Amino acid sequence: AAAVARHPARFVGYFMVDPSADEAVARGTKAVTTLGLRVACLFPAMHHVALDDPRVDRVIEAVAAQPGTAVFVHCGVLSVGVRKKLGLPSRFDLSLGDPLAISRLALAHPRVPFIVPHFGAGMLRETMMAADACPNIHVDTSSSNSWIRYAPGWTLTGVFKTAMSVLGPTRMLFGTDSSFFPRGWQRGIHQTQKAAATGAGIGGSDQALIFGGIFDRLFS
């Protein structure tokens, strides 16, 4: 929030919200109305709250009431690197991270962009099915996408090609998953994704949309 307040033309603020918390709706409302944040992040596997839970609906309704907001929903495999480094257990329920469950929410809030990170993190097929049914579902390309190892024969180039065939360039958002110190900006991930997009036959103008243009369009 401090970064957004200081550099509103450079930062778009995301925030995590646990729908099971008593203050979830108040937290979401404050984030978008007072703090100037734009995107609510849901982690159903982490918080053990299914996406068809009424508490999720209440959070989304609070966020969606403010124009220019979006909802980020982590699906598929989930790991938190810093927890692994510290030897902390991560008791995630991966069964709750099914992208198909987003379709109901997206249909109920057709003007709100829903963003699924990492191409669905191992659930590409389900993510594409949900996105094909709901034109307001987007994917982001962030991280190394190491989930590809769960699908023998897949490549990042093939993933880009599949996503392009369903979503086109207007519902794909580039990301590196740059995050905690000291990792910082992930130049290698950017280079790898550019190469994969080129290998998938995505032209320069469409790449310009994926690698910045659509993000700017959503959060102008």
Side-chain angles (χ1 to χ4, degrees):
V4 168
R6 186 165 183 174
H7 301 287
R10 296 182 61 191
F11 289 98
V12 172
Y14 285 47
F15 64 97
M16 181 188 290
V17 60
D18 177 358
S20 70
D22 292 339
E23 73 280 5
V25 172
R27 176 180 169 84
T29 301
K30 179 181 178 181
V32 298
T33 60
T34 304
L35 301 180
L37 306 182
R38 304 281 293 276
V39 186
C41 300
L42 300 176
F43 288 78
M46 179 186 296
H47 296 135
H48 294 194
V49 181
L51 291 175
D52 61 358
D53 191 299
R55 294 172 295 181
V56 173
D57 289 274
R58 288 194 285 269
V59 168
I60 292 177
E61 287 166 4
V63 172
Q66 187 74 4
T69 56
V71 176
F72 168 107
V73 186
H74 194 289
C75 298
V77 66
L78 174 61
S79 64
V80 179
V82 69
R83 296 187 67 84
K84 286 186 176 181
K85 288 181 182 294
L86 295 174
L88 299 174
S90 296
R91 298 183 177 91
F92 302 147
D93 184 352
L94 299 185
S95 68
L96 297 176
D98 187 346
L100 290 176
I102 302 174
S103 60
R104 180 189 66 83
L105 299 170
L107 290 171
H109 302 278
R111 296 184 180 180
V112 178
F114 285 77
I115 302 169
V116 182
H118 325 311
F119 293 105
M123 304 189 79
L124 178 66
R125 173 176 172 270
E126 292 82 358
T127 301
M128 294 298 102
M129 290 169 64
D132 198 33
C134 306
N136 53 330
I137 292 180
H138 302 63
V139 300
D140 85 28
T141 69
S142 66
S143 91
S144 64
N145 289 296
S146 60
W147 56 264
I148 291 175
R149 69 183 187 274
Y150 302 137
W154 284 18
T155 64
L156 186 58
T157 296
V159 171
F160 266 91
K161 186 177 294 186
T162 295
M164 188 71 175
S165 69
V166 176
L167 306 174
T170 62
R171 289 194 281 156
M172 295 172 63
L173 307 172
F174 160 71
T176 65
D177 217 6
S178 300
S179 58
F180 57 85
F181 179 85
R183 186 163 62 169
W185 165 247
Q186 294 290 284
R187 183 181 303 276
I189 290 178
H190 175 254
Q191 293 172 338
T192 298
Q193 291 193 13
K194 289 285 287 186
T198 300
I202 302 174
S205 59
D206 286 342
Q207 285 199 33
L209 292 173
I210 294 169
F211 288 88
I214 299 306
F215 187 92
D216 289 343
R217 185 181 297 177
L218 288 179
F219 302 111
S220 60

